[in-house]
Amino acid sequence: MARTKRPGPLLTLLAGLLLAVFMLTLNATTGTKNASSSSPETSPGATPQASPPPTSAPPSPSPPPPSKSAPPNADYAGRTDDNSSAVAVSLRGGKAIAYFCDGRSKESWLKGDVKDDGTMKLTGKNGAELDGTLKDGRSIRGTVDLGGQRYAFTADKAVKPSGLYRATATVRGARLDGGWIVLPGGKQVGILDRDGKPAAAPTIDPESGTLTVDGQALTASPVTP
């Protein structure tokens, strides 16, 4: 009886190699398809959209310039250019009060604001007006318009007891209203109004402000706005 011949070892080895090559090819093809399917699809002819550039922040506004401070508190006293009258000005917190006096019959109290640049326009009764400018904190240069006349003046910074004083009182039924300008050097110019009648004022003690009118002691106090 004849024996069936079995395939030899070489044929078995060849079949295994063919199977291995087939499996490798199949895995490579499957991986390529999976990678393609995971990529985002791009429409034909579409242009990729670039991300907009980051918007730069607007420039910060420049800080406002520092505001000037009001002129310092101080008192000023001086005379008109024609030496006929005296002028005193008191500054406090951006406000001013002034007194113009010729020591006989002409006088005016004026008040108003002082700007940061040192200029001022003060007003009083009957259209009286003072226009002045503070010069480096040492003096005030300006004019006073009163009774149709204009008086140019310079008032220097005053150190007590120089300055502006005022006293009001009723003495023996008469209403008294007095104003005094104590100039640097001690000279005084003032008017005491008695029931609307102005006259030269008596001298005050500049250290205490005291004076005597019709036998009655009064006190003139420093004037501030």
Side-chain angles (χ1 to χ4, degrees), residues 22-162:
F22 175 76
M23 293 301 294
L24 288 173
T25 304
L26 180 61
N27 288 339
T29 304
T30 303
T32 303
K33 289 182 178 180
N34 290 340
S36 300
S37 62
S38 63
S39 301
E41 295 183 358
T42 303
S43 301
T47 303
Q49 298 296 321
S51 299
T55 303
S56 58
S60 301
S62 301
S67 60
K68 297 180 179 179
S69 59
N73 299 342
D75 299 312
Y76 299 84
R79 299 192 66 90
T80 57
D81 290 358
D82 62 7
N83 205 36
S84 67
S85 308
V87 178
V89 184
S90 177
L91 307 183
R92 296 293 187 277
K95 302 289 184 179
I97 187 168
Y99 182 52
F100 171 92
C101 173
D102 69 355
R104 297 179 299 278
S105 60
K106 289 183 180 180
E107 65 173 348
S108 181
W109 291 93
L110 310 101
K111 60 183 179 178
D113 296 328
V114 183
K115 296 182 179 179
D116 291 346
D117 62 2
T119 59
M120 63 194 78
K121 183 182 288 292
L122 314 182
T123 57
K125 293 181 180 180
N126 302 319
E129 186 173 287
L130 182 152
D131 290 284
T133 301
L134 185 61
K135 302 291 186 180
D136 299 325
R138 299 179 180 178
S139 64
I140 295 175
R141 178 65 181 170
T143 58
V144 173
D145 290 296
L146 178 65
Q149 289 184 277
R150 173 168 292 184
Y151 304 85
F153 73 90
T154 300
D156 295 324
K157 191 171 184 178
V159 179
K160 288 186 177 181
S162 298

Side-chain angles (χ1 to χ4, degrees), residues 103 176-181 188-194 199-205 209-214 216 218 220:
L176 304 181
D177 186 0
W180 290 263
I181 298 172
Q188 298 182 20
V189 181
I191 287 179
L192 181 64
D193 187 292
R194 186 192 302 263
T203 301
I204 65 172
D205 179 350
T210 57
L211 69 151
T212 301
V213 178
D214 295 339
Q216 181 170 331
L218 302 177

